């Protein structure tokens, strides 16, 4: 059978019919990495889709490209939906894309989860290995993009709180191909540079993909190996990256990181004021103590003076007077006791005691004792008191 | 560098305050320390109040140069 000879056009037309007639190639969904991505002036989007070993050209016409929900960039993982079409004139084929989505997020998250488990097992996230921030921070190294929001935020936070803290920026790409390696290298360089007390590693907010460098091993390794304490400050408060777990400290935002490294100047000035007060009170205490010692000495000196002798004599006089008084009191008490004894003796001389021996006690009408005969003459009647009773008597007139 | 000086001054100030607590210190020395402390603290406060932020950039050559963050504003 003789070979049928075709011209180029015929061949390409044949291929085109074959390809475009295929039900499979009419609607394909392909995942890969974006490359050579560019918008033409016409608004059409031209790009390639590639993986490790192959590449295919793609085009997205203006009408479809206008509906894109993100800005496609080379290096991104994407999923393309479209049909394979042949350009017969050039003998080339390409995907005419109708849909372009970010892809690989699932794969990225899975890898992050895997790495997280691995590093957790290695103890990279454990509290025990965290370095403390130094008490006094003089200079801060910053690894971030020189054009990003993070460096601005950090600078304004430090400037507001404590402009005496020095900042050294080690600029790095923070997203896209090679970002993780660059960040890691700058952390190492700051370690070698010296004079840095703390390193802030971070960036402003972005998509999960934008932030992903801070989930990658090179960055984590560099943070882990850093001799200088590292603060991770990536994105917004809600963004949590593996760098946050690996770093010695996580700051929710770059602004917060700036505040962490700059002791409030007001507080510093307060501290100096406290030191002034403390020094003053110490020296005043000193002086007070000395003046007390001086008073003591002065007293000792005056005790040796003649005036002090006089005083001493006076004091002795007073003491003697006291002794005297006590002595007198003792004597007085003795006398009083004697007196009591005497009065007892007097009681013993009670007339009642004699009446039994024939003595009588004579009282007049008025009850008063009649002590003489002449007195008795004047009484109309008298009472004679015997030991056992009384007798009323009338004197008999003697003629 | 002014920044290092502030911290050295602060350290010195803390040291003076601690030394003043030492009972064995003679009065003469204590007074001298006190005077130094007062002067230093005043200077420190002044320096802090006058401090200006310095932002530098580490170049690829490992050198430092001023970083101007305000180019785009």
């Amino acid at each position: 059978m003789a070979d049928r000879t075709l011209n180029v056009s015929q061949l390409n037309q044949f291929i085109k019919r074959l390809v475009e007639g295929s039900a499979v190639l009419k609607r394909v969904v392909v995942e890969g990495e974006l490359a050579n991505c560019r918008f033409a002036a016409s608004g059409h989007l031209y790009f390639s889709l590639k993986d490790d070993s192959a590449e295919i050209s793609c085009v997205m016409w203006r009408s479809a490209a206008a509906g894109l929900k993100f800005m496609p960039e080379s290096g991104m993982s994407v999923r393309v939906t479209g049909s394979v079409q042949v350009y017969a004139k050039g003998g080339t084929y390409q995907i005419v894309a109708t849909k372009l989505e970010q892809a690989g997020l699932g794969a990225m998250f899975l890898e992050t989860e895997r790495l997280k488990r691995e590093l957790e097992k290695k103890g990279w996230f454990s509290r025990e290995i965290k370095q403390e921030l130094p008490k006094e921070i003089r200079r801060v190294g910053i690894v971030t993009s020189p054009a990003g929001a993070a460096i601005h935020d950090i600078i304004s936070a430090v400037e507001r709180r404590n402009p005496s803290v020095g900042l050294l920026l080690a600029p790095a790409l923070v997203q896209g191909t090679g970002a993780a390696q660059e960040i890691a290298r700058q952390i190492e360089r700051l370690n070698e540079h010296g004079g840095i007390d703390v390193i802030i590693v971070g960036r402003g907010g972005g998509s999960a993909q934008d932030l992903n460098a801070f989930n990658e091993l090179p960055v984590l390794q560099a943070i882990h190996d850093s001799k200088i304490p590292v603060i991770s400050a990536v994105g917004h408060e809600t963004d949590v990256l593996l760098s946050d777990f690996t770093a010695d400290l996580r700051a929710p935002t770059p602004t917060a990181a700036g505040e962490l490294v700059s002791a409030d100047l007001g507080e510093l000035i307060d501290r100096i004021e406290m030191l002034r007060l403390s020094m003053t009170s110490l020296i005043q205490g000193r002086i007070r103590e000395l003046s007390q010692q001086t008073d003591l000495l002065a007293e000792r000196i005056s005790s040796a003076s003649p005036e002090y002798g006089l005083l001493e004599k006076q004091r002795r006089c007073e003491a003697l007077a006291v002794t005297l008084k006590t002595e007198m009191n003792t004597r007085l008490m003795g006398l009083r006791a004697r007196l009591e004894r005497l009065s007892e003796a007097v009681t013993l001389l009670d007339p009642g005691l004699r009446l039994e021996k024939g003595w009588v006690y004579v009282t007049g009408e008025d009850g008063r004792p009649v002590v003489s005969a002449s007195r008795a003459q004047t009484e109309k009647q008298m009472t004679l008191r015997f030991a056992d009773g009384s007798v009323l008597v009338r004197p008999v007139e003697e003629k | 560098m002014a920044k290092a000086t502030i911290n050295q001054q602060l350290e010195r100030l803390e040291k003076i305050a601690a030394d003043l607590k030492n009972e064995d210190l003679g009065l003469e020395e204590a007074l001298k320390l006190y005077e130094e402390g007062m002067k230093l603290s005043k200077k420190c406060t002044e320096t802090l109040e006058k401090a200006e932020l310095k932002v530098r950039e580490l170049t690829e050559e490992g050198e430092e140069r001023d970083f101007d963050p305000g180019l785009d504003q």
Side-chain angles (χ1 to χ4, degrees), chain A residues 136-139 146-147 151-152 155-156 158-159 162-171 185-186 189-190 193 265 268-269 271-272 275-283 286-287 289-290, chain B residues 3 6-7 10-11 13-14 16-17 20-27 30-31 34 37-38 41-42 44-45 48-49 51-62 64 67 69 72-73:
Chain A
E136 287 187 359
I137 297 171
R138 291 166 302 235
R139 202 157 195 228
I151 187 66
H152 274 274
I155 287 173
S156 45
V158 172
E159 188 154 38
N162 189 347
S164 75
V165 173
L167 301 180
L168 179 61
L169 171 70
R185 197 176 140 259
Q186 293 295 52
R189 288 184 73 218
L190 282 176
H193 189 72
L265 206 67
L268 223 58
I269 290 171
R271 200 175 105 209
I272 294 171
L275 283 171
R276 283 175 71 95
L277 284 174
S278 147
M279 285 188 292
T280 304
S281 89
L282 280 168
I283 206 83
R286 254 309 163 97
I287 288 165
E289 203 178 292
L290 268 169
Chain B
K3 281 163 218 143
I6 286 171
N7 278 281
L10 270 172
E11 268 168 37
L13 212 53
E14 304 259 16
I16 290 172
L20 275 175
K21 284 186 187 142
N22 182 3
E23 309 250 328
D24 299 334
L25 197 69
L27 181 67
L31 280 171
Y34 176 69
M38 285 296 121
S41 60
K42 202 173 158 217
C44 266
T45 309
L48 284 174
E49 280 167 349
E52 257 179 61
L53 185 68
K54 282 205 180 78
V55 186
R56 309 268 287 169
E57 182 182 2
L58 189 62
T59 66
E60 267 314 300
E61 293 74 41
E64 286 186 21
F67 174 70
D72 52 345
Q73 277 169 4

Side-chain angles (χ1 to χ4, degrees), chain A residues 118-369:
Chain A
E118 183 191 317
L119 298 183
E120 200 158 23
K121 213 184 270 174
K122 276 190 180 173
W124 279 26
F125 304 158
S126 87
R127 241 167 230 291
E128 290 90 76
I129 66 162
K130 302 292 180 205
Q131 306 181 66
E132 294 233 347
L133 295 195
K135 265 205 193 108
E136 287 187 359
I137 297 171
R138 291 166 302 235
R139 202 157 195 228
V140 178
I142 303 164
V143 179
T144 191
S145 160
I151 187 66
H152 274 274
D153 292 350
I154 294 169
I155 287 173
S156 45
V158 172
E159 188 154 38
R160 168 167 50 84
R161 280 169 61 90
N162 189 347
S164 75
V165 173
L167 301 180
L168 179 61
L169 171 70
L173 260 182
V174 290
Q175 67 188 70
T177 319
Q181 285 72 16
E182 212 170 296
I183 295 166
R185 197 176 140 259
Q186 293 295 52
I187 295 173
E188 286 159 19
R189 288 184 73 218
L190 282 176
N191 267 275
E192 287 158 14
H193 189 72
I196 301 293
D197 301 309
V198 184
I199 296 174
I200 297 173
V201 179
R203 56 157 292 154
S207 71
Q209 224 160 6
D210 290 344
L211 306 185
N212 199 53
F214 295 87
N215 276 330
E216 290 179 36
L217 189 57
V219 171
L220 307 179
Q221 182 81 53
I223 292 175
H224 179 73
D225 291 345
S226 175
K227 298 270 188 298
I228 303 169
V230 176
I231 299 174
S232 166
V234 184
H236 302 298
E237 214 163 330
T238 46
D239 298 318
V240 179
L241 287 295
L242 295 192
S243 62
D244 292 330
F245 295 113
T246 313
D248 298 295
L249 197 62
R250 173 193 186 241
T253 61
T255 298
E259 287 168 357
L260 279 171
V261 298
S262 48
D264 197 332
L265 206 67
E267 277 170 31
L268 223 58
I269 290 171
D270 284 352
R271 200 175 105 209
I272 294 171
E273 191 51 38
M274 285 298 293
L275 283 171
R276 283 175 71 95
L277 284 174
S278 147
M279 285 188 292
T280 304
S281 89
L282 280 168
I283 206 83
Q284 278 173 350
R286 254 309 163 97
I287 288 165
R288 206 175 309 126
E289 203 178 292
L290 268 169
S291 76
Q292 272 165 13
Q293 278 176 20
T294 315
D295 285 352
L296 230 94
L297 273 171
E299 205 176 303
R300 248 191 252 165
I301 289 165
S302 72
S303 76
S305 75
E307 197 184 347
Y308 182 78
L310 213 69
L311 249 142
E312 184 59 24
K313 270 170 201 147
Q314 197 175 330
R315 242 176 253 155
R316 265 173 67 195
C317 269
E318 275 165 22
L320 271 173
V322 169
T323 317
L324 225 84
K325 222 172 171 178
T326 329
E327 187 80 1
M328 288 290 284
N329 271 336
T330 320
R331 287 237 178 147
L332 262 166
M333 265 159 73
L335 278 170
R336 207 166 282 146
R338 250 181 88 197
L339 248 160
E340 265 166 39
R341 271 200 306 279
L342 276 170
S343 77
E344 224 173 284
V346 168
T347 322
L348 286 176
L349 295 175
D350 183 358
L353 290 172
R354 305 284 172 106
L355 296 182
E356 278 159 0
K357 291 180 179 169
W359 293 54
V360 289
Y361 185 56
V362 186
T363 50
E365 272 187 300
D366 55 1
R368 286 169 56 178

